[in-house]
Amino acid sequence: MTLLLIAVGAAIGAPLRYLTDRAIQARHDSVFPWGTLTVNVAGCLVLGVVTGLPATSAWTALLGTGFCGALTTYSTFSYETLRLAQEGARFYAVMNVVASVVAGLGAAAVGFVFAQALQ
């Protein structure tokens, strides 16, 4: 049952990541990976909420592992950062790392605190 919940969450998270990334990137005429940053920060926020609530293992599997696991993407973040550095956009590469870490941790903390306040 847990594996099925993870698969369902991933089946929702993966296409949402792709569609969100493309929609956001299409609105920015920049080499900076705004779409990937957005989905990663959003996933951190959701995961913060999931960890802040007294969630069952089923909800954690569905939302935390499945949905957030498919929505967020460390591999694309790494690839885009490396690509920026290789193309000479080192400032954007560094800003991508800094923004991703700071915004991701901040979003997770906000989600966690929000969930705790709901209890």
Side-chain angles (χ1 to χ4, degrees):
M1 184 61 167
T2 301
L3 188 57
L4 179 61
L5 290 169
I6 292 169
V8 168
I12 296 166
L16 184 60
R17 177 179 81 79
Y18 176 77
L19 294 171
T20 302
D21 176 69
R22 295 293 86 213
I24 290 173
Q25 206 57 44
R27 288 173 171 73
H28 292 89
D29 186 25
S30 171
V31 297
F32 190 83
W34 289 107
T36 301
L37 177 65
T38 301
V39 295
N40 285 343
V41 171
C44 290
L45 178 69
V46 172
L47 195 55
V49 171
V50 170
T51 58
L53 291 174
T56 65
S57 61
W59 278 109
T60 302
L62 176 72
L63 294 174
T65 304
F67 180 75
C68 289
L71 178 68
T72 62
T73 171
Y74 189 76
S75 57
T76 303
F77 157 73
S78 300
Y79 163 75
E80 289 173 342
T81 302
L82 182 59
R83 179 184 49 83
L84 288 168
Q86 288 175 333
E87 292 176 357
R90 287 180 178 82
F91 174 77
Y92 286 122
V94 170
M95 290 314 301
N96 190 36
V97 171
V98 171
S100 294
V101 171
V102 171
L105 287 172
V110 166
F112 184 83
V113 169
F114 175 75
Q116 292 287 299
L118 291 177
Q119 296 181 38

